[in-house]
Amino acid sequence: MGAQRPAWIVVLRREMGMKVREKTFRIGIASTLILVVLGIAALSFFSNRTESHTIAVVDDAGSAVVNQTAELFQTIKPDSPDKASAVHVGTEEEALAKVADESVDAALIPAPDSTGAKGWKIVADASINPALEQAVGAVVQQQATSSNAARLNINLAELSRGAALQRELLSQEQDDDGSLFVLKFVFSFMFVSALMTYGLAIAQSVVEEKESRVVEILAAATSVKYLLVGKIGANFILGFLQVTILTAIALTGLKFVDVIPDLGRVVAASGWFIFFFVLGFFAVSCIWSALGSMATRSEDLASSAIPMQILLFGAYFLSFTAPEGILKIASFVPILSSIAMPTRILDGGVEWWEPWAAASGVVLVGILAIRLSTNIYLRTLMRTNKRTSLKEALRYDHA
């Protein structure tokens, strides 16, 4: 005859079996996976998106300006340049007509300046694309400078000495061109949704057992502490597997679409996200279990869970909307730091000791939260006659 399994293992297996059979659980997993895939697809689309500008010209000189503009776009953004192409027409009137009927984006027409010198005018319908206007302006200026230098018998190379703007970055961080924003959005949602989903599942399980009086049977068969350990353990395993698998899928997708220049930093930040998820989960789950034990009906839980939901969603929105100073403060506030600190690591520029300091704060508050929440859980779990307030839970003796 085999050895009898520990009671908390039995509870853990029961909780996991019930959870994976729930339709809402499977729908939630599928929805989160779809969000991750859509986020990566959006990141790939916007990172590789190019704009094609068609410009009507009336002569070969205009065509040369457009061709040099296309070369300038290639120089500025070689991986995914905007495009500029010339559309030849016979007269200025035809060029303006094509602009008016939106056959082309703009028209480039010869136009002398106030001194009578040859120049150019770019014409669009309602607005001119800023990137196109700047690029064409740069080409026109360069052509005019070269022409005037030759006319005045000036050595253009000598004239341009010292005019080059050199570029140096003190930090090796990459510019946030929108890619990091999408990453922060997806990763933060993934981790907050897991904390919310599995934490709330613990509370709902407790309430359902109290409503049906099943808890009295379970408490008679095993220690109440084992019920708590089994519930938290089951939801932690499911949550950890969900977060780890979805993170692996996200990182694989990012490597496949090849839109992040520093994927190593994203991998490191993902590891910190999972690390802080593990630390934060136990503290948050114990709080959820305490909220469930103080309620006697699902309606009670709906109202008592609001502060926790506000806290988690607040951490979520802070992660990608807060200014740098506020985000830095939040990264050292326990619970908030579980999302804010990995977000800062993803941005870059975090000192080596900062994540460990934030993690220490989460552990310390987590220990206090676990002790307090466990006491509340033990004191109020068997009170099935009415909802228990926090003041009553702290004072009530279950013995």
Side-chain angles (χ1 to χ4, degrees):
M1 187 174 180
Q4 187 176 5
R5 291 191 181 93
W8 69 271
I9 292 290
V10 176
V11 175
L12 183 147
R13 294 184 62 180
R14 172 180 173 272
E15 289 288 329
M16 290 183 64
M18 292 175 60
K19 190 69 179 176
V20 297
R21 286 193 293 268
E22 291 179 0
K23 185 177 181 180
T24 54
F25 172 77
R26 295 194 293 269
I27 292 175
I29 293 289
S31 301
T32 307
L33 177 59
I34 290 172
L35 177 68
V36 171
V37 173
L38 289 177
I40 295 173
L43 188 60
S44 176
F45 173 77
F46 287 109
S47 297
N48 295 318
R49 185 177 61 176
T50 63
E51 290 197 36
S52 297
H53 308 283
T54 52
I55 305 172
V57 298
V58 297
D59 54 23
D60 291 340
S63 181
V65 173
V66 174
N67 291 337
Q68 288 186 41
T69 300
E71 294 174 3
L72 181 59
F73 279 138
Q74 178 69 45
T75 302
I76 294 172
K77 194 179 179 184
D79 293 335
S80 183
D82 286 358
K83 302 181 185 302
S85 57
V87 177
H88 289 269
V89 296
T91 64
E92 294 182 10
E93 289 73 16
E94 290 181 47
L96 296 177
K98 283 187 172 293
V99 172
D101 65 18
E102 300 183 350
S103 299
V104 295
D105 298 312
L108 189 64
I109 298 172
D113 63 12
S114 58
T115 66
K118 179 182 178 181
W120 295 96
K121 177 171 64 175
I122 187 168
V123 182
D125 186 19
S127 62
I128 300 176
N129 182 281
L132 176 63
E133 183 178 8
Q134 292 175 10
V136 171
V139 170
V140 168
Q141 185 177 27
Q142 190 273 334
Q143 283 189 350
T145 301
S146 298
S147 176
N148 292 334
R151 180 173 55 84
L152 298 173
N153 196 26
I154 297 174
N155 188 318
L156 185 59
E158 290 295 323
L159 185 65
S160 302
R161 286 181 61 186
L165 177 64
Q166 300 182 48
R167 184 172 184 263
E168 179 183 356
L169 297 177
L170 297 179
S171 172
Q172 297 303 312
E173 301 170 26
Q174 301 289 332
D175 292 337
D176 186 352
D177 59 355
S179 300
L180 288 183
F181 179 86
V182 175
L183 284 176
K184 287 186 280 188
F185 178 86
V186 171
F187 277 117
S188 298
F189 178 82
M190 201 162 54
F191 292 106
V192 169
S193 64
L195 288 172
M196 183 75 72
T197 299
Y198 293 102
L200 190 58
I202 293 172
Q204 289 175 333
S205 175
V206 173
V207 173
E208 289 170 2
E209 290 174 355
K210 291 183 70 172
E211 280 186 305
S212 63
R213 311 299 285 267
V214 171
V215 68
E216 297 177 3
I217 300 174
L218 295 174
T222 186
S223 170
V224 173
K225 290 183 180 180
Y226 292 145
L227 294 178
L228 178 61
V229 172
K231 289 179 185 297
I232 292 177
N235 284 277
F236 168 73
I237 292 173
L238 292 174
F240 181 78
L241 288 175
Q242 174 182 324
V243 166
T244 304
I245 292 172
L246 290 178
T247 300
I249 291 173
L251 294 176
T252 302
L254 290 174
K255 182 174 177 61
F256 178 76
V257 298
D258 194 25
V259 296
I260 303 296
D262 190 2
L263 187 59
R265 189 175 67 181
V266 177
V267 173
S270 302
W272 282 108
F273 265 115
I274 295 176
F275 176 69
F276 274 94
F277 170 81
V278 172
L279 295 181
F281 184 88
F282 289 103
V284 171
S285 61
C286 283
I287 296 173
W288 277 115
S289 66
L291 292 174
S293 67
M294 290 190 293
T296 56
R297 300 176 304 164
S298 298
E299 293 81 0
D300 298 334
L301 178 61
S303 60
S304 59
I306 291 176
M308 180 59 68
Q309 292 172 330
I310 292 175
L311 178 64
L312 292 177
F313 278 115
Y316 167 60
F317 286 110
L318 274 174
S319 66
F320 58 88
T321 60
E324 183 178 352
I326 295 177
L327 186 63
K328 185 171 184 178
I329 294 173
S331 67
F332 292 100
V333 178
I335 306 302
L336 295 181
S337 62
S338 296
I339 302 298
M341 181 55 75
T343 298
R344 286 187 58 214
I345 295 173
L346 187 59
D347 285 331
V350 176
E351 297 291 339
W352 69 267
W353 57 266
E354 293 185 70
W356 298 109
S360 300
V362 175
V363 170
L364 179 61
V365 172
I367 292 172
L368 296 175
I370 289 172
R371 293 189 62 178
L372 179 62
S373 300
T374 301
N375 287 334
I376 293 175
Y377 179 84
L378 297 176
R379 291 178 178 183
T380 60
L381 183 63
M382 302 306 296
R383 297 190 71 181
T384 58
N385 56 337
K386 67 172 184 176
R387 178 183 176 184
T388 307
S389 67
L390 179 60
K391 183 178 180 180
E392 290 175 323
L394 294 174
R395 185 179 56 197
Y396 181 68
D397 187 1
H398 68 286

